[in-house]
Amino acid sequence: MAKTKQKKQQQNFLPFIKWFWILFGAGVLSVALIFLLASWGVFGEMPTFERLENPETNLATEFISSDGETLGKLYLDDNRTPIAYEDLPKNLVDALVATEDARFYEHSGIDARGTLRAFVFLGSKGGASTISQQLARQLFVGIKKKNWTKYTQKIKEWVIATRLERNYTKEEIIAMYLNIYDFNYNADGIRSAARIYFGKEPNELRTEESAVLVGMLKNSSYYNPMRRRQLVLDRRNTVLAQMAKYGYITEAEKDSLQKTEMKINFSPESHREGLATYFRMYMQRFLNKWVEENPKPDGEKYNIYLDGLKVYTTVDSRMQRNAEEAVQEHMQRLQAEFFHQNTPDRNPTAPFLDISKGAIDTILRSSMKRSERWRHYKREGLSDKEIEATFHEKTEMTVFDWNSDSYEKDTIMTPLDSIRYYKTFLRTAMMSMEPQTGHVKAWVGGIDYKHFQYDNVIQGSRQAGSLFKPFVYAAAIDQLRYSPCYSLWDNQYCIEPGKHGNIDAWCPKNSDGKYSGEKMTLKSALANSVNTVTAQLIDRVGPGSVAAIAKNMGVTKDIPEVPSIALGTPDVSVYEMVGAFGTYANQGVYVKPVMVTRIEDKNGTVLYEYTPETKDVLSKDVAFAMVNLMEGVTQFGSGGRLKHTFAKNQTVYKEVVTGYPYELNNPIAGKTGTTQNQSDGWFMGMVPNLVTGVWVGGEDRSIHFSGLAYGQGATMALPIWALYMKKNYANDELGVSKEAFEEPEEMSIELDCTKLQEENQDDLDTDDDLDDLDF
């Protein structure tokens, strides 16, 4: 009886068992069918094998300094520079796995336990997305939808995640995920995030910093450290707790780290901010030209914003930072003095000086027509009269201001007033180069790229003034074999009409209008920028030979072959003059300035390597004689304040000559330059392995100081050079020389003036025999 009853009960359970296996089998087959349908693209397009092997991500072009630092990037939407797994710190990987996918190393793309838990508890005890699924969503699926399609999206994630697991190692998946994630504020990928939020490379991240970034992976817009600091702090501590839970850190370490302050070093990266902005914009123009001339193997052009090019530059990030700091320190003080001298009671036409109202209106109207506002409204179809009317309407704007935080202030003014306001600011340019290689080590095109985008290093050309005189002296020493000790009279000197292309007589005066009436060595004449001696030299060698030497040294602008070029009437750029002066320091060999050494594609394939462009211009002894001449400028001439402390003009020095006294006692060759009305101030300084040029002036030539005390090159430009060099010398790793310039083994030009005094005394009384002298 009992057996019959038991048998009957078993028969009653058979249908349930049967249906269980039917449903289980149907479930398995349904899952398999769903995966199969998804792989066939029924629920939407699926990535091909090729796309899985090479997922499409936009990669920024990266500019890398000579010391291995990132100077900046070029990108449209994605500021992304991928890094390898080996460059990720262990604490970051541990934080990621502990928080996002604790069983990451155990599953093959789908966490079955996590998925079952999510189904049973409807997600209330955590989601089930693995790191591989999240990567699949980032790369191929897209933002999660709210409607029914979210289910098909999840299916696609599962399928793609399993494919990714087959194609990539676990380490590669982690690196890809961290490289693809958008952390906001142009922080695309972990490298940009580490730089923007903490000012460091990923491998330098501390555990608590890695925890912040991993915490942001949940939703970077919501967990935003710049807007919701406490929320992000709590999320960071949750990540640290997860790391302790899974044994990546101890409980003691967790407790200690959770008590630490969350320090964010926010360093936004944009095209208009950061280090070497002017240089980076020059590099953008360089690359635009390069991609036109160097297509891909398939004929397509490289995209400088998307293709992940790596551009290895010659700029040293440490020297670049020193240069920018030197410019900032001096220009802020110089500008304060310029404002002081141009108050309405002192100069009613400020910032312009000594020009009529009509001339000022012409300058302002010309600036209006060159502005982006004018071009914008012109494209909109407005008439000139309508456009001009908009320049008289007051509007809110953010303008540059040396005395405000971040050098900006909010104000209300008309666009026309803003044009005049910006013209009150003095502009500057600075470039530093290694003369032996031509490698440009620092490049500062202005005071602030965000507000002053004109690059005065290479786009701007201004009159050289006395900075041009070394070309005249070089021609005289090269052709006539004059020594730096050779002497000429400091008297009024005229070149007659009809000679050297002159229409009228040319009789230049010295800058102070005075003449000593005494004989003066070339070294002393150049050191003190005596015009009468320079006039005599160009008369003897001719303007053509001077122009030829300047051209051979890299000056590209047109140089009229007339005597007045001796005093610096030609327009030149800082870029050209640094290259030219490098010839003297490099024993007479001109080396064209180099900014890029190598370009690679995203895979490390070399696309470009530079070839030096050089030209023998001067013999070694002539070049060294020129260096000797220009050492006199800093020993006892217009650049003497680099080495000495003077009692005269101490008020000017203390107020404007930033950092004075400098007391640079090492050998320095240099030349100051000041143009008519103090419109331009120049200084070129050289040590054996570094040549640096600085220019300071107004946007227009009518914007200048009223006198030489403040307006000369030694006051406007030289302090930037001095501050820059002192900063360089404070870092021995830079290797900037303090040694003497190397003298050629066979020096045919006499540099010891005591040996030539008697010879010069006999020959100074006549001009007829001077061309025959061989010194």
Side-chain angles (χ1 to χ4, degrees):
M1 186 74 179
K3 288 183 177 180
T4 304
K5 187 175 181 181
Q6 185 179 11
K7 187 175 181 181
K8 189 175 181 179
Q9 287 177 340
Q10 289 175 346
Q11 288 175 342
N12 289 338
F13 276 109
L14 283 176
F16 293 103
I17 295 171
K18 181 180 178 180
W19 276 108
F20 170 79
W21 285 109
I22 289 172
L23 291 174
F24 178 78
V28 171
L29 289 173
S30 296
V31 170
L33 181 61
I34 288 172
F35 269 73
L36 187 61
L37 291 172
S39 65
W40 288 345
V42 173
F43 303 129
E45 183 183 359
M46 295 290 285
T48 63
F49 175 80
E50 288 75 16
R51 284 189 66 198
L52 284 172
E53 285 290 317
N54 300 283
E56 294 177 5
T57 55
N58 296 334
L59 303 180
T61 288
E62 183 179 11
F63 298 126
I64 303 169
S65 69
S66 62
D67 56 316
E69 297 294 320
T70 297
L71 293 174
K73 302 176 188 177
L74 280 180
Y75 55 90
L76 291 179
D77 299 313
D78 296 343
N79 176 23
R80 181 176 292 105
T81 304
I83 59 173
Y85 178 84
E86 292 74 22
D87 297 321
L88 297 172
K90 184 177 184 300
N91 60 50
L92 178 67
V93 175
D94 292 344
L96 173 65
V97 173
T99 307
E100 295 294 323
D101 192 353
R103 286 177 290 279
F104 174 69
Y105 295 106
E106 301 169 14
H107 62 67
S108 298
I110 301 173
D111 182 4
R113 287 170 56 186
T115 302
L116 184 61
R117 182 193 63 223
F119 272 121
V120 172
F121 296 101
L122 300 178
S124 62
K125 291 194 175 182
S129 287
T130 64
I131 292 173
S132 302
Q133 286 176 244
Q134 293 179 52
L135 174 60
R137 184 189 309 144
Q138 292 280 338
L139 285 173
F140 304 111
V141 179
I143 299 172
K144 188 182 292 184
K145 301 290 195 304
K146 296 288 186 181
N147 54 27
W148 65 272
T149 57
K150 67 181 180 181
Y151 300 110
T152 61
Q153 280 187 316
K154 179 58 69 176
I155 293 169
K156 289 172 67 176
E157 280 181 24
W158 287 342
V159 174
I160 296 171
T162 57
R163 289 184 175 181
L164 287 171
E165 290 272 352
R166 289 200 300 267
N167 284 27
Y168 296 98
T169 65
K170 291 287 187 181
E171 291 76 15
E172 288 172 331
I173 288 172
I174 285 177
M176 289 172 68
Y177 177 57
L178 291 172
N179 282 323
I180 199 70
Y181 194 81
D182 181 357
F183 291 85
N184 283 336
Y185 301 106
N186 289 325
D188 298 299
I190 191 63
R191 185 167 184 234
S192 293
R195 288 169 57 86
I196 288 174
Y197 290 109
F198 297 106
K200 56 179 65 173
E201 292 296 326
N203 59 12
E204 300 171 323
L205 290 170
R206 299 166 64 89
T207 300
E208 63 271 24
E209 294 167 338
S210 291
V212 170
L213 296 179
V214 169
M216 292 176 69
L217 293 171
K218 188 172 184 178
N219 185 330
S220 59
S221 296
Y222 186 66
Y223 293 99
N224 182 336
M226 307 311 298
R227 297 177 58 190
R228 299 184 178 93
R229 193 172 184 87
Q230 185 59 46
L231 190 69
V232 175
L233 178 62
D234 294 341
R235 178 66 181 160
R236 180 201 73 171
N237 290 343
T238 298
V239 173
L240 293 170
Q242 287 292 104
M243 294 180 73
K245 177 181 177 180
Y246 291 102
Y248 292 110
I249 57 176
T250 65
E251 284 292 326
E253 288 173 324
K254 180 204 74 172
D255 294 339
S256 174
L257 291 171
Q258 285 182 336
K259 293 175 183 177
T260 60
E261 179 187 355
M262 185 176 71
K263 296 180 180 179
I264 301 295
N265 178 17
F266 190 56
S267 309
E269 292 183 351
S270 74
H271 301 316
R272 296 188 174 192
E273 297 172 308
L275 190 67
T277 45
Y278 289 95
F279 178 73
R280 281 153 42 199
M281 289 305 100
Y282 165 78
M283 289 307 306
Q284 182 180 13
R285 297 191 298 272
F286 170 89
L287 285 178
N288 281 330
K289 181 179 179 183
W290 182 84
V291 298
E292 290 289 335
E293 300 170 352
N294 299 272
K296 296 179 182 179
D298 61 5
E300 289 188 12
K301 294 179 183 176
Y302 288 98
N303 190 314
I304 65 173
Y305 304 103
L306 306 177
D307 284 346
L309 299 176
K310 289 187 180 294
V311 182
Y312 293 87
T313 74
T314 60
V315 166
D316 186 295
S317 67
R318 300 160 296 181
M319 297 173 76
Q320 178 69 29
R321 191 169 285 108
N322 290 344
E324 293 184 11
E325 289 175 358
V327 165
Q328 176 186 318
E329 290 169 18
H330 177 61
M331 292 304 294
Q332 190 168 8
R333 292 186 66 176
L334 188 68
Q335 188 66 52
E337 178 60 30
F338 189 74
F339 281 150
H340 174 70
Q341 294 188 22
N342 283 275
T343 55
D345 56 318
R346 291 185 175 92
N347 180 17
T349 61
F352 308 99
L353 193 64
D354 300 330
I355 61 172
S356 65
K357 182 181 181 304
I360 294 173
D361 291 341
T362 299
I363 291 172
L364 294 177
R365 185 172 179 79
S366 176
S367 296
M368 266 198 303
K369 291 193 171 185
R370 293 197 307 269
S371 69
E372 181 56 37
R373 170 182 286 267
W374 188 282
R375 288 192 292 270
H376 169 74
Y377 283 124
K378 202 68 177 175
R379 288 192 296 267
E380 295 290 317
L382 273 65
S383 66
D384 286 4
K385 186 176 181 180
E386 290 172 323
I387 297 173
E388 191 164 343
T390 69
F391 279 84
H392 296 275
E393 298 171 0
K394 287 193 173 183
T395 183
E396 295 181 356
M397 61 180 70
T398 301
V399 297
F400 180 79
D401 179 45
W402 274 119
N403 299 317
S404 299
D405 292 339
S406 301
Y407 302 123
E408 287 185 327
K409 68 177 181 181
D410 295 327
T411 188
I412 298 175
M413 65 173 71
T414 70
L416 182 60
D417 287 339
S418 74
I419 289 174
R420 189 163 189 154
Y421 172 78
Y422 274 104
K423 285 186 179 292
T424 63
F425 289 95
L426 296 172
R427 314 300 170 86
T428 189
M430 175 185 183
M431 188 177 113
S432 190
M433 184 189 82
E434 188 177 72
Q436 290 76 23
T437 62
H439 288 191
V440 173
K441 310 310 290 184
W443 177 305
V444 185
I447 55 176
D448 183 274
Y449 182 81
K450 188 174 182 180
H451 293 275
F452 304 90
Q453 294 176 21
Y454 190 76
D455 187 348
N456 290 290
V457 168
I458 197 165
Q459 290 179 313
S461 294
R462 298 293 288 254
Q463 283 192 343
S466 296
L467 198 68
F468 201 84
K469 288 178 180 177
F471 295 130
V472 181
Y473 282 71
I477 294 175
D478 184 45
Q479 293 181 26
L480 306 177
R481 309 304 294 173
Y482 286 173
S483 160
C485 307
Y486 184 74
S487 299
L488 291 171
W489 292 102
D490 176 23
N491 289 322
Q492 174 84 63
Y493 187 86
C494 291
I495 297 178
E496 62 269 25
K499 189 176 183 182
H500 303 312
N502 268 351
I503 297 175
D504 300 315
W506 185 62
C507 307
K509 298 178 180 179
N510 288 334
S511 60
D512 59 2
K514 301 176 181 177
Y515 312 96
S516 66
E518 299 177 355
K519 58 188 178 183
M520 183 173 286
T521 64
L522 299 190
K523 190 169 186 176
S524 177
L526 185 65
N528 295 284
S529 217
V530 178
N531 291 340
T532 56
V533 172
T534 309
Q536 293 174 67
L537 292 177
I538 199 168
D539 187 19
R540 295 177 183 186
V541 299
S545 61
V546 174
I549 280 184
K551 291 282 187 181
N552 285 332
M553 290 189 187
V555 177
T556 60
K557 304 294 185 298
D558 181 56
I559 302 175
E561 295 183 6
V562 293
S564 60
I565 64 172
L567 304 188
T569 55
D571 287 344
V572 294
S573 68
V574 172
Y575 170 86
E576 290 173 333
M577 293 305 280
V578 171
F581 273 64
T583 308
Y584 304 126
N586 192 34
Q587 299 185 323
V589 179
Y590 168 76
V591 182
K592 186 177 181 179
V594 177
M595 284 69 75
V596 178
T597 58
R598 188 170 81 256
I599 299 175
E600 294 178 357
D601 67 11
K602 64 182 179 182
N603 300 314
T605 303
V606 177
L607 305 176
Y608 164 84
E609 282 188 293
Y610 91 104
T611 302
E613 296 182 41
T614 65
K615 181 186 290 187
D616 292 335
V617 181
L618 303 172
S619 63
K620 289 183 179 180
D621 55 351
V622 171
F624 187 76
M626 285 302 303
V627 168
N628 180 270
L629 272 173
M630 288 186 280
E631 283 184 302
V633 174
T634 63
Q635 290 167 348
F636 50 81
S638 56
R641 64 187 66 177
L642 287 172
K643 296 176 175 290
H644 312 296
T645 302
F646 299 106
K648 184 181 177 182
N649 289 331
Q650 282 300 303
T651 301
V652 175
Y653 294 163
K654 290 177 181 177
E655 290 179 357
V656 181
V657 185
T658 316
Y660 176 82
Y662 306 113
E663 298 176 343
L664 294 168
N665 298 317
N666 55 292
I668 299 169
K671 185 69 188 81
T672 57
T674 309
T675 61
Q676 192 172 10
N677 296 325
Q678 301 79 239
S679 295
D680 307 278
W682 294 84
F683 183 72
M684 295 291 306
M686 300 184 290
V687 295
N689 64 350
L690 197 65
V691 178
T692 305
V694 183
W695 166 86
V696 176
E699 182 181 10
D700 301 283
R701 290 187 56 78
S702 53
I703 301 171
H704 54 82
F705 281 102
S706 58
L708 273 171
Y710 294 95
Q712 62 178 300
T715 304
M716 290 209 294
L718 178 146
I720 293 175
W721 189 93
L723 291 169
Y724 168 66
M725 292 300 289
K726 290 192 77 170
K727 291 174 187 290
N728 288 341
Y729 284 138
N731 185 350
D732 292 336
E733 291 182 2
L734 296 178
V736 179
S737 176
K738 288 186 177 181
E739 304 302 316
F741 290 88
E742 182 182 353
E743 183 173 348
E745 292 182 4
E746 297 181 4
M747 189 69 196
S748 63
I749 299 172
E750 183 58 66
L751 302 179
D752 185 354
C753 296
T754 58
K755 295 182 180 179
L756 296 178
Q757 285 179 348
E758 282 189 21
E759 297 177 56
N760 277 341
Q761 182 65 44
D762 296 335
D763 292 316
L764 279 171
D765 295 331
T766 66
D767 290 334
D768 295 337
D769 297 328
L770 286 175
D771 290 335
D772 299 325
L773 293 175
D774 185 25
F775 293 112

